[in-house]
Amino acid sequence: GENVEQHPSTLSVQEGDSAVIKCTYSDSASNYFPWYKQELGKRPQLIIDIRSNVGEKKDQRIAVTLNKTAKHFSLHITETQPEDSAVYFCAARLQGAQKLVFGQGTRLTINP
Amino acid sequence: NAGVTQTPKFRVLKTGQSMTLLCAQDMNHEYMYWYRQDPGMGLRLIHYSVGEGTTAKGEVPDGYNVSRLKKQNFLLGLESAAPSQTSVYFCASSWSRGNTEAFFGQGTRLTVV
């Protein structure tokens, strides 16, 4: 089955700097890669996703890149703000499969 | 439009007791999932369902049972609770095709003493 590894487990950056979180997946048949943000005490919510036929996707300060050859994808947050502080999860879904497999999560802290 | 709703939000159980967690969604989604969230271990899939009357095992199914008698509801049961089942449980649902975003419930914090 699919296995997703996420790094780093914790990340601290200065407000205004960029943050990058990386994930690797094991099954080359995976074709859907979402990123979820979970604020303290709240439910995970989708912030951006990418499909395997696209190499990069941007939404304002957030971008996701996908390298199918290396089987890894990354979340990039630019001009970080205090409200970006949260736990971020990557995930992967195999083509035709029903299961969404999550990474271990990254706790991002934005220092003022 | 409530989305995904979990009941209860908090619960304390004694070892050996049983309980059922209820997940209800009003988006007519085919797929429903139960995850547990533990520190440093992300979201691990317990069981899932691809439609009414069907269920399947996820990564960590032992000690749990599920049922999906109605499309909008997915129940997670603990027959004999153990301290290792202390966790935050999240239910989620999604479409089967097209936009496959998973929508999560607000979570249930379960403590087994």
Side-chain angles (χ1 to χ4, degrees), chain A residues 65-83:
Chain A
T65 58
L66 172 65
N67 184 326
K68 287 192 293 182
T69 302
K71 290 190 286 186
H72 66 71
F73 56 112
S74 301
L75 177 71
H76 305 254
I77 306 174
T78 59
E79 300 173 12
T80 53
Q81 300 169 4
E83 53 265 36

PDB file of all heavy atoms in Angstrom, chain A residues 65-83:
ATOM      1  N   THR A  65       4.458  21.877  -5.294  1.00  0.00           N
ATOM      2  CA  THR A  65       5.200  21.356  -6.427  1.00  0.00           C
ATOM      3  C   THR A  65       5.235  19.838  -6.343  1.00  0.00           C
ATOM      4  O   THR A  65       5.237  19.266  -5.248  1.00  0.00           O
ATOM      5  CB  THR A  65       6.635  21.897  -6.444  1.00  0.00           C
ATOM      6  OG1 THR A  65       7.294  21.547  -5.214  1.00  0.00           O
ATOM      7  CG2 THR A  65       6.651  23.411  -6.600  1.00  0.00           C
ATOM      8  N   LEU A  66       5.253  19.190  -7.479  1.00  0.00           N
ATOM      9  CA  LEU A  66       5.245  17.737  -7.548  1.00  0.00           C
ATOM     10  C   LEU A  66       6.340  17.262  -8.479  1.00  0.00           C
ATOM     11  O   LEU A  66       6.459  17.739  -9.622  1.00  0.00           O
ATOM     12  CB  LEU A  66       3.884  17.246  -8.060  1.00  0.00           C
ATOM     13  CG  LEU A  66       3.754  15.757  -8.379  1.00  0.00           C
ATOM     14  CD1 LEU A  66       3.917  14.923  -7.106  1.00  0.00           C
ATOM     15  CD2 LEU A  66       2.415  15.459  -9.045  1.00  0.00           C
ATOM     16  N   ASN A  67       7.143  16.337  -8.000  1.00  0.00           N
ATOM     17  CA  ASN A  67       8.173  15.691  -8.807  1.00  0.00           C
ATOM     18  C   ASN A  67       7.819  14.208  -8.877  1.00  0.00           C
ATOM     19  O   ASN A  67       8.109  13.447  -7.945  1.00  0.00           O
ATOM     20  CB  ASN A  67       9.558  15.900  -8.183  1.00  0.00           C
ATOM     21  CG  ASN A  67      10.680  15.322  -9.042  1.00  0.00           C
ATOM     22  OD1 ASN A  67      10.511  14.308  -9.701  1.00  0.00           O
ATOM     23  ND2 ASN A  67      11.820  15.977  -9.029  1.00  0.00           N
ATOM     24  N   LYS A  68       7.190  13.799  -9.970  1.00  0.00           N
ATOM     25  CA  LYS A  68       6.730  12.404 -10.083  1.00  0.00           C
ATOM     26  C   LYS A  68       7.888  11.433 -10.180  1.00  0.00           C
ATOM     27  O   LYS A  68       7.812  10.309  -9.683  1.00  0.00           O
ATOM     28  CB  LYS A  68       5.818  12.271 -11.296  1.00  0.00           C
ATOM     29  CG  LYS A  68       4.449  12.894 -11.108  1.00  0.00           C
ATOM     30  CD  LYS A  68       3.514  12.483 -12.226  1.00  0.00           C
ATOM     31  CE  LYS A  68       3.947  13.052 -13.553  1.00  0.00           C
ATOM     32  NZ  LYS A  68       3.012  12.694 -14.645  1.00  0.00           N
ATOM     33  N   THR A  69       8.966  11.838 -10.826  1.00  0.00           N
ATOM     34  CA  THR A  69      10.120  10.950 -10.993  1.00  0.00           C
ATOM     35  C   THR A  69      10.713  10.591  -9.633  1.00  0.00           C
ATOM     36  O   THR A  69      11.014   9.434  -9.363  1.00  0.00           O
ATOM     37  CB  THR A  69      11.183  11.605 -11.875  1.00  0.00           C
ATOM     38  OG1 THR A  69      10.603  11.928 -13.137  1.00  0.00           O
ATOM     39  CG2 THR A  69      12.370  10.677 -12.077  1.00  0.00           C
ATOM     40  N   ALA A  70      10.879  11.608  -8.795  1.00  0.00           N
ATOM     41  CA  ALA A  70      11.454  11.398  -7.467  1.00  0.00           C
ATOM     42  C   ALA A  70      10.405  10.984  -6.445  1.00  0.00           C
ATOM     43  O   ALA A  70      10.753  10.658  -5.300  1.00  0.00           O
ATOM     44  CB  ALA A  70      12.159  12.666  -7.007  1.00  0.00           C
ATOM     45  N   LYS A  71       9.150  11.044  -6.808  1.00  0.00           N
ATOM     46  CA  LYS A  71       8.034  10.721  -5.922  1.00  0.00           C
ATOM     47  C   LYS A  71       8.046  11.584  -4.671  1.00  0.00           C
ATOM     48  O   LYS A  71       7.978  11.074  -3.533  1.00  0.00           O
ATOM     49  CB  LYS A  71       8.017   9.231  -5.585  1.00  0.00           C
ATOM     50  CG  LYS A  71       7.635   8.359  -6.782  1.00  0.00           C
ATOM     51  CD  LYS A  71       7.384   6.908  -6.422  1.00  0.00           C
ATOM     52  CE  LYS A  71       8.682   6.208  -6.135  1.00  0.00           C
ATOM     53  NZ  LYS A  71       8.514   4.755  -5.924  1.00  0.00           N
ATOM     54  N   HIS A  72       8.160  12.890  -4.879  1.00  0.00           N
ATOM     55  CA  HIS A  72       7.995  13.778  -3.741  1.00  0.00           C
ATOM     56  C   HIS A  72       7.272  15.049  -4.146  1.00  0.00           C
ATOM     57  O   HIS A  72       7.249  15.441  -5.320  1.00  0.00           O
ATOM     58  CB  HIS A  72       9.321  14.075  -3.026  1.00  0.00           C
ATOM     59  CG  HIS A  72      10.320  14.864  -3.807  1.00  0.00           C
ATOM     60  ND1 HIS A  72      10.168  16.205  -4.101  1.00  0.00           N
ATOM     61  CD2 HIS A  72      11.520  14.513  -4.320  1.00  0.00           C
ATOM     62  CE1 HIS A  72      11.213  16.633  -4.761  1.00  0.00           C
ATOM     63  NE2 HIS A  72      12.045  15.636  -4.917  1.00  0.00           N
ATOM     64  N   PHE A  73       6.621  15.659  -3.173  1.00  0.00           N
ATOM     65  CA  PHE A  73       5.879  16.897  -3.391  1.00  0.00           C
ATOM     66  C   PHE A  73       6.073  17.802  -2.176  1.00  0.00           C
ATOM     67  O   PHE A  73       6.367  17.319  -1.080  1.00  0.00           O
ATOM     68  CB  PHE A  73       4.400  16.633  -3.676  1.00  0.00           C
ATOM     69  CG  PHE A  73       3.661  15.839  -2.640  1.00  0.00           C
ATOM     70  CD1 PHE A  73       2.674  16.436  -1.868  1.00  0.00           C
ATOM     71  CD2 PHE A  73       3.902  14.480  -2.451  1.00  0.00           C
ATOM     72  CE1 PHE A  73       1.965  15.717  -0.929  1.00  0.00           C
ATOM     73  CE2 PHE A  73       3.195  13.753  -1.519  1.00  0.00           C
ATOM     74  CZ  PHE A  73       2.230  14.368  -0.753  1.00  0.00           C
ATOM     75  N   SER A  74       5.998  19.084  -2.413  1.00  0.00           N
ATOM     76  CA  SER A  74       6.331  20.064  -1.373  1.00  0.00           C
ATOM     77  C   SER A  74       5.296  21.174  -1.299  1.00  0.00           C
ATOM     78  O   SER A  74       4.708  21.553  -2.309  1.00  0.00           O
ATOM     79  CB  SER A  74       7.703  20.684  -1.641  1.00  0.00           C
ATOM     80  OG  SER A  74       8.721  19.713  -1.672  1.00  0.00           O
ATOM     81  N   LEU A  75       5.135  21.687  -0.089  1.00  0.00           N
ATOM     82  CA  LEU A  75       4.278  22.849   0.161  1.00  0.00           C
ATOM     83  C   LEU A  75       5.174  24.042   0.432  1.00  0.00           C
ATOM     84  O   LEU A  75       6.092  23.958   1.247  1.00  0.00           O
ATOM     85  CB  LEU A  75       3.373  22.599   1.371  1.00  0.00           C
ATOM     86  CG  LEU A  75       2.473  23.757   1.794  1.00  0.00           C
ATOM     87  CD1 LEU A  75       1.363  23.962   0.765  1.00  0.00           C
ATOM     88  CD2 LEU A  75       1.865  23.488   3.168  1.00  0.00           C
ATOM     89  N   HIS A  76       4.911  25.142  -0.261  1.00  0.00           N
ATOM     90  CA  HIS A  76       5.689  26.360  -0.097  1.00  0.00           C
ATOM     91  C   HIS A  76       4.750  27.471   0.374  1.00  0.00           C
ATOM     92  O   HIS A  76       3.733  27.733  -0.274  1.00  0.00           O
ATOM     93  CB  HIS A  76       6.338  26.780  -1.411  1.00  0.00           C
ATOM     94  CG  HIS A  76       7.175  25.708  -2.045  1.00  0.00           C
ATOM     95  ND1 HIS A  76       8.551  25.756  -2.036  1.00  0.00           N
ATOM     96  CD2 HIS A  76       6.832  24.572  -2.692  1.00  0.00           C
ATOM     97  CE1 HIS A  76       9.022  24.690  -2.662  1.00  0.00           C
ATOM     98  NE2 HIS A  76       8.009  23.950  -3.063  1.00  0.00           N
ATOM     99  N   ILE A  77       5.104  28.102   1.484  1.00  0.00           N
ATOM    100  CA  ILE A  77       4.331  29.240   1.978  1.00  0.00           C
ATOM    101  C   ILE A  77       5.268  30.447   1.983  1.00  0.00           C
ATOM    102  O   ILE A  77       6.315  30.421   2.633  1.00  0.00           O
ATOM    103  CB  ILE A  77       3.780  29.011   3.397  1.00  0.00           C
ATOM    104  CG1 ILE A  77       2.978  27.710   3.454  1.00  0.00           C
ATOM    105  CG2 ILE A  77       2.900  30.191   3.819  1.00  0.00           C
ATOM    106  CD1 ILE A  77       2.512  27.332   4.851  1.00  0.00           C
ATOM    107  N   THR A  78       4.911  31.477   1.246  1.00  0.00           N
ATOM    108  CA  THR A  78       5.738  32.682   1.190  1.00  0.00           C
ATOM    109  C   THR A  78       5.135  33.772   2.081  1.00  0.00           C
ATOM    110  O   THR A  78       3.961  33.729   2.434  1.00  0.00           O
ATOM    111  CB  THR A  78       5.850  33.204  -0.243  1.00  0.00           C
ATOM    112  OG1 THR A  78       4.538  33.491  -0.736  1.00  0.00           O
ATOM    113  CG2 THR A  78       6.504  32.174  -1.149  1.00  0.00           C
ATOM    114  N   GLU A  79       5.976  34.733   2.438  1.00  0.00           N
ATOM    115  CA  GLU A  79       5.545  35.886   3.260  1.00  0.00           C
ATOM    116  C   GLU A  79       4.692  35.419   4.436  1.00  0.00           C
ATOM    117  O   GLU A  79       3.564  35.867   4.636  1.00  0.00           O
ATOM    118  CB  GLU A  79       4.766  36.875   2.386  1.00  0.00           C
ATOM    119  CG  GLU A  79       5.580  37.410   1.217  1.00  0.00           C
ATOM    120  CD  GLU A  79       4.725  38.256   0.267  1.00  0.00           C
ATOM    121  OE1 GLU A  79       3.580  38.616   0.627  1.00  0.00           O
ATOM    122  OE2 GLU A  79       5.207  38.543  -0.839  1.00  0.00           O
ATOM    123  N   THR A  80       5.256  34.509   5.225  1.00  0.00           N
ATOM    124  CA  THR A  80       4.482  33.898   6.307  1.00  0.00           C
ATOM    125  C   THR A  80       3.949  34.924   7.303  1.00  0.00           C
ATOM    126  O   THR A  80       4.578  35.952   7.574  1.00  0.00           O
ATOM    127  CB  THR A  80       5.327  32.858   7.056  1.00  0.00           C
ATOM    128  OG1 THR A  80       6.546  33.476   7.473  1.00  0.00           O
ATOM    129  CG2 THR A  80       5.613  31.660   6.181  1.00  0.00           C
ATOM    130  N   GLN A  81       2.765  34.590   7.836  1.00  0.00           N
ATOM    131  CA  GLN A  81       2.074  35.453   8.792  1.00  0.00           C
ATOM    132  C   GLN A  81       1.736  34.639  10.036  1.00  0.00           C
ATOM    133  O   GLN A  81       1.695  33.407   9.973  1.00  0.00           O
ATOM    134  CB  GLN A  81       0.802  36.003   8.137  1.00  0.00           C
ATOM    135  CG  GLN A  81       1.076  36.816   6.885  1.00  0.00           C
ATOM    136  CD  GLN A  81      -0.183  37.126   6.088  1.00  0.00           C
ATOM    137  OE1 GLN A  81      -1.294  36.811   6.492  1.00  0.00           O
ATOM    138  NE2 GLN A  81       0.005  37.768   4.948  1.00  0.00           N
ATOM    139  N   PRO A  82       1.487  35.287  11.164  1.00  0.00           N
ATOM    140  CA  PRO A  82       1.176  34.543  12.396  1.00  0.00           C
ATOM    141  C   PRO A  82       0.037  33.542  12.222  1.00  0.00           C
ATOM    142  O   PRO A  82       0.081  32.454  12.809  1.00  0.00           O
ATOM    143  CB  PRO A  82       0.806  35.656  13.386  1.00  0.00           C
ATOM    144  CG  PRO A  82       1.581  36.840  12.913  1.00  0.00           C
ATOM    145  CD  PRO A  82       1.575  36.739  11.411  1.00  0.00           C
ATOM    146  N   GLU A  83      -0.954  33.867  11.402  1.00  0.00           N
ATOM    147  CA  GLU A  83      -2.087  32.950  11.223  1.00  0.00           C
ATOM    148  C   GLU A  83      -1.733  31.704  10.417  1.00  0.00           C
ATOM    149  O   GLU A  83      -2.568  30.795  10.274  1.00  0.00           O
ATOM    150  CB  GLU A  83      -3.268  33.673  10.566  1.00  0.00           C
ATOM    151  CG  GLU A  83      -2.932  34.383   9.272  1.00  0.00           C
ATOM    152  CD  GLU A  83      -2.616  35.857   9.478  1.00  0.00           C
ATOM    153  OE1 GLU A  83      -2.008  36.204  10.520  1.00  0.00           O
ATOM    154  OE2 GLU A  83      -2.975  36.644   8.584  1.00  0.00           O
TER     155      GLU A  83
END
